[in-house]
Amino acid sequence: MVDTAYNYGRYEGHRALVKAAGDLLDRFEVSTKVGYFPNGHDLAPARLRAAVAEAGEVLGRVPDTVFVHNPEHDPDGLPAACEALAACQADGLCRAWGVATWNPAPLLRVAALAEVRPDVLMVRAGLAVPGPVLDAAEQLGLRMAAGEVWGMAPFAGNPSDPVWSGLDTGVFLEPGQEPVSSAQARLAVAFAVPAVSRIAVGTSRPDHLSELAAATSVETSSDTVRAYRRLLRDQAGGRGKEAAHAAHDG
């Protein structure tokens, strides 16, 4: 599967994908996102529909999935944006549609206003995601009754960041498995934090992609994952109490 967006590559991402993939493009599922335009972020239904139609024309095929891109920048526009993409699906401009959000918390208050249900919700996944964001993502999936949940950015944009070298991700894995690399362990954990069925990763190296593909069969420890999530919630609650105490003292 290939994941892209209307605004990637300075709005040339779809053309770049066609040029790179050539005749092989039809052998892949293609997901894309709409919501960013050269003059800024906009969830106006007419613009979203035009962008979806343009994506299909450039790709030479109907996108398999189209996402509303970062609707947290305009939460009140989410219900109408969902209606617009559902209409695109009904009219054959895409096979499925969804919501892709980096920060799901602002969307919780309007999620129930969307009368159509997304096929997919795409959210951040992995050990770099703050606890409140993980919780909000799960709540949003439930409130919108999303058919599937996909993950993205499992390495927080930099798999070589020194912060990863001090983290023993192996403790999250079920014992008795074949040894895996640190990157494979991190990706395996991302499938469970939160629970997602697919994860979008960016890479320019085929060997890196092959390494990560092998991680999809690595099993994580559900007990460890639950303990980790409880720890995140406890820490978030503790910070809230500390902030309230400081405000009272002030």
Side-chain angles (χ1 to χ4, degrees):
M1 180 169 184
V2 178
D3 179 65
T4 185
Y6 185 83
N7 61 305
Y8 286 0
R10 296 181 179 180
Y11 300 92
E12 293 293 324
H14 292 147
R15 290 180 175 82
L17 176 58
V18 170
K19 182 178 180 181
D23 294 339
L24 294 176
L25 188 59
D26 285 338
R27 298 177 63 179
F28 291 89
E29 288 184 43
V30 178
S31 64
T32 191
K33 312 174 194 70
V34 293
Y36 286 100
F37 301 91
N39 64 340
H41 188 265
D42 189 351
L43 296 186
R47 296 196 77 179
L48 296 180
R49 184 182 179 88
V52 175
E54 181 182 330
E57 292 171 1
V58 173
L59 292 171
R61 52 168 289 183
V62 172
D64 293 284
T65 306
V66 179
F67 293 95
V68 181
H69 204 173
N70 293 142
E72 61 268 27
H73 295 311
D74 178 18
D76 291 330
L78 177 64
C82 289
E83 293 282 356
L85 290 199
C88 287
Q89 180 186 33
D91 293 339
L93 297 179
C94 62
R95 292 189 174 91
W97 70 276
V99 175
T101 172
W102 192 258
N103 179 19
L107 303 175
L108 294 177
R109 65 176 178 82
V110 298
L113 300 178
E115 296 183 358
V116 290
R117 300 299 173 221
D119 298 297
V120 187
L121 175 65
M122 181 181 280
V123 296
R124 280 188 286 169
L127 296 174
V129 186
V133 175
L134 294 171
D135 290 340
E138 290 172 336
Q139 292 175 36
L140 184 62
L142 292 173
R143 294 186 187 188
M144 298 198 77
E148 290 186 71
V149 181
W150 296 356
M152 59 179 169
F155 305 116
N158 185 6
S160 301
D161 192 304
V163 70
W164 297 117
S165 63
L167 184 63
D168 181 11
T169 49
V171 301
F172 287 90
L173 306 183
E174 284 286 357
Q177 301 180 80
E178 292 293 324
V180 298
S181 69
S182 175
Q184 289 174 319
R186 280 177 269 153
L187 184 63
V189 175
F191 273 99
V193 182
V196 298
S197 58
R198 297 185 181 187
I199 294 183
V201 297
T203 184
S204 59
R205 292 170 39 197
D207 60 327
H208 182 229
L209 188 59
S210 178
E211 176 188 9
L212 295 180
T216 57
S217 62
V218 178
E219 296 184 12
T220 56
S221 167
S222 56
D223 289 341
T224 303
V225 169
R226 282 194 294 269
Y228 173 71
R229 295 295 300 277
R230 285 196 299 269
L231 177 62
L232 290 180
R233 293 187 182 103
D234 289 345
Q235 289 180 334
R239 284 194 295 270
K241 292 177 182 177
E242 289 173 5
H245 182 66
H248 182 269
D249 289 346

